Each structure stands twice: as structure tokens, then as C-alpha cells.
Amino acid sequence: MMLYTFLSGMLVTLFFVAALFFLRFWARSRDPLFLSFACTFCLLGLGQSLLALGRFAVEERSWVYLVRLAAFLLILAAIYGKNRGRSSR
Amino acid sequence: MQPLLAAAVYLLCFATSSGCAFLLARGYLRSGARLLLWSSICFTFLALNNLMLVLDLLVWPDLDLQTLRLVTSLAGVGVLVFGFIWDQEEEA
């Protein structure tokens, strides 16, 4: 359990660090794709925090994975939007 | 949550993360932007993590892959942050 808590903490930190990097890229370039990446990694960090902190029973845990799913859907939509914008130009 | 709905959420997590990894890898092959390379490696590991989630919770519920799942996510986001810091060193 201690290893799980330790690794979870590391993972959450790295998710938020990655989000900060993307936020800086966005501040430099104003490309909305980077903002989507930043939001995605914040959501992934949030989802992992909830899993580590909220002692959910296994059958309740699947709600938390909706946060993760939202993160992936957000970035898929952003990449799709970017590709479409490029091809219509 | 209903078991069927929960299964759908896990499978969709796997499908969407795989889709992200694929699109980012394709973007890297087209543009050669290293940022896309690091991102696609990251999402490949996250997709692997979600595949393990499906195997762990749906296929073999008795198996405990929790630590292994965390390690794959750590590898993914670790590579991403490493790539960002490494490339920045080269820029300076």
C-alpha cells in the first residue's frame, strides 16, 4: 500500500508538471491545442488524486474513470479540430 | 455504476487513449516536431495502462495489476517531462 501511495504521488506530480509545461507553451504560442493538453493533464492528475485519496470500493471506482475519459476525449477533440483547421486552410 | 457501463468506460478510456497515441504519432511522422514524439510516447504508455485496466478489472478480476498500471503511467508521463526538459537544454 505504501508503494502504491508513493507511486501515486509521483504520478500526480508529473501530470501537473506536464500540464505546467503545456501551459507555458500555450502562453508563448497562443495555440489552443496546448491549452487543451494542459487541461487534459490537469484532469488526469485530478483523476489519479481521487483514486489515491478517496477510498472507493471497487464498484464505485468506475465513476472516477469518467474524469480520465473526459481528459482523453478533450485531447482527441483538440487534435481533430487542429487537423481539420489545417486541411481546410 | 452498472457493470456494463463501467466496462464501457474502461474500454472507451483504452480506445480514446490509443486514438490519441496514433494521431500524435502520425503528426510526428508528418511534421517531425519532437514535442509530438514525446507526446505520442506518453499516450502510448497511457493506452497500455488503460489496456491493463481492462485486463485487470474486466478479464481477470482476481489479478492485481495496480502497481504495474501505475508504473506504465509513470513511464509515459516521465518520458514526456524528460523530453521537455531535455529539449529545453538543447535550445539554451
Side-chain angles (χ1 to χ4, degrees):
Chain A
M1 196 63 201
M2 216 178 116
L3 181 67
Y4 174 79
T5 314
F6 175 73
L7 291 177
S8 267
M10 267 180 83
L11 185 56
V12 170
T13 310
L14 280 174
F15 275 141
F16 286 128
V17 169
L20 274 178
F21 269 106
F22 279 115
L23 206 60
R24 201 186 63 159
F25 296 150
W26 172 75
R28 275 187 184 176
S29 68
R30 295 283 153 182
D31 186 338
L33 181 67
F34 290 136
L35 197 59
S36 306
F37 263 106
C39 292
T40 292
F41 279 92
C42 276
L43 280 175
L44 288 174
L46 179 75
Q48 192 62 45
S49 309
L50 287 173
L51 278 176
L53 293 174
R55 299 163 184 277
F56 299 109
V58 175
E59 61 271 18
E60 291 168 11
R61 218 176 286 159
S62 39
W63 288 108
V64 181
Y65 286 99
L66 282 176
V67 179
R68 190 185 279 196
L69 183 59
F72 289 130
L73 282 175
L74 174 69
I75 202 65
L76 259 188
I79 298 172
Y80 177 73
K82 175 103 178 167
N83 285 349
R84 219 178 56 158
R86 199 177 286 158
S87 59
S88 67
R89 231 174 266 160
Chain B
M1 197 186 275
Q2 299 284 322
L4 198 67
L5 211 59
V9 171
Y10 300 145
L11 284 169
L12 277 172
C13 276
F14 173 59
T16 48
S17 54
S18 304
C20 291
F22 172 74
L23 286 177
L24 290 166
R26 202 177 61 168
Y28 168 67
L29 292 175
R30 277 183 185 169
S31 70
R34 283 169 68 86
L35 195 130
L36 290 175
L37 172 68
W38 302 123
S39 307
S40 68
I41 294 173
C42 174
F43 277 90
T44 305
F45 274 108
L46 293 181
L48 196 65
N49 164 285
N50 288 317
L51 176 65
M52 279 190 204
L53 183 76
V54 171
L55 295 177
D56 193 359
L57 301 184
L58 299 179
V59 185
W60 298 298
D62 298 333
L63 209 69
D64 186 13
L65 295 176
Q66 208 173 39
T67 308
L68 204 60
R69 281 196 275 127
L70 272 179
V71 170
T72 47
S73 282
L74 265 173
V77 76
V79 165
L80 185 74
V81 171
F82 167 82
F84 286 161
I85 294 168
W86 192 262
D87 283 351
Q88 212 167 27
E89 286 295 312
E90 283 179 3
E91 269 172 34

